[in-house]
Amino acid sequence: MSVGHRVSSDHQLARLLQIGIVLEEVVEARSYHHYQSLDDAPALDPEIESLLEHAAAESAAHRERLEELVDELDAESIPFEEIEALVQAQYGGTDPDDFDDILYDQLANEETAYKFYDDLVGALRASEATFGIDRDHLIDVLVEIREEEADGVEEVTKVMNDRS
């Protein structure tokens, strides 16, 4: 499902928020996968370890915030399998090990999440629909999440630049 157009109903909004939830689950799982792979590394890198721990915790917090928004909506829930398939088709074209470096994968995850929230905020701002949730609160939460994703992009980029 494309976020590139206006959001016009609670059902559509719930679906997009659920896509965000699954996207956060993917980011959290990939961060955890990479964190676990550090156990096999000869020397643990505390900076990367901290980055991955933070990314996983942040994704979990974002998921909870999105779940709260979905709960506030009076909309039918979309089956998890359907949402997971949408996320996989749109955002899951790579596996964690497809990247040569943990940091490149983490950067791709952060950028994907940022883009999703940026598109969603834009679509909500372009929409004149009335939702079963306070529009300002909804946008404020999504803008906060988007900014945290932007901070994540900057943090990963800084670590990458420090290492080059």
Side-chain angles (χ1 to χ4, degrees):
M1 172 173 223
S2 172
V3 183
H5 55 281
R6 292 184 179 143
V7 181
S8 59
S9 68
D10 278 359
H11 176 77
Q12 185 183 22
L13 176 58
R15 186 177 211 173
L16 289 166
L17 292 172
Q18 287 177 306
I19 287 171
I21 291 167
V22 175
L23 185 60
E24 292 293 351
E25 288 174 351
V26 168
V27 171
E28 184 177 1
R30 289 172 81 124
S31 296
Y32 181 73
H33 171 83
H34 289 308
Y35 182 79
Q36 292 296 86
S37 75
L38 292 176
D39 288 342
D40 299 330
L44 290 178
D45 185 321
E47 189 172 30
I48 293 177
E49 187 176 1
S50 174
L51 182 90
L52 294 173
E53 284 178 343
H54 176 75
E58 182 178 86
S59 290
H62 290 173
R63 213 171 7 88
E64 290 174 13
R65 294 177 79 188
L66 294 169
E67 288 168 351
E68 289 170 4
L69 293 173
V70 171
D71 288 345
E72 289 180 45
L73 284 170
D74 185 23
E76 181 182 326
S77 182
I78 314 303
F80 177 79
E81 296 78 21
E82 184 179 332
I83 297 297
E84 187 176 39
L86 287 170
V87 170
Q88 183 63 27
Q90 186 74 20
Y91 303 105
T94 60
D95 290 322
D97 296 325
D98 287 348
F99 289 86
D100 291 336
D101 187 283
I102 290 171
L103 293 174
Y104 284 108
D105 185 55
Q106 193 59 39
L107 180 62
N109 293 335
E110 298 282 354
E111 288 176 334
T112 298
Y114 172 83
K115 178 75 171 122
F116 173 79
Y117 294 114
D118 192 53
D119 289 348
L120 182 53
V121 167
L124 287 167
R125 287 182 171 154
S127 175
E128 295 179 13
T130 302
F131 302 109
I133 186 173
D134 181 73
R135 175 188 294 278
D136 291 335
H137 170 68
L138 170 66
I139 291 174
D140 287 347
V141 168
L142 294 173
V143 165
E144 286 174 17
I145 292 173
R146 179 188 67 189
E147 294 310 311
E148 289 172 4
E149 297 297 350
D151 291 345
V153 168
E154 288 179 24
E155 185 178 347
V156 174
T157 302
K158 180 187 178 311
V159 171
M160 291 172 79
N161 287 337
D162 289 349
R163 292 169 185 277
S164 56

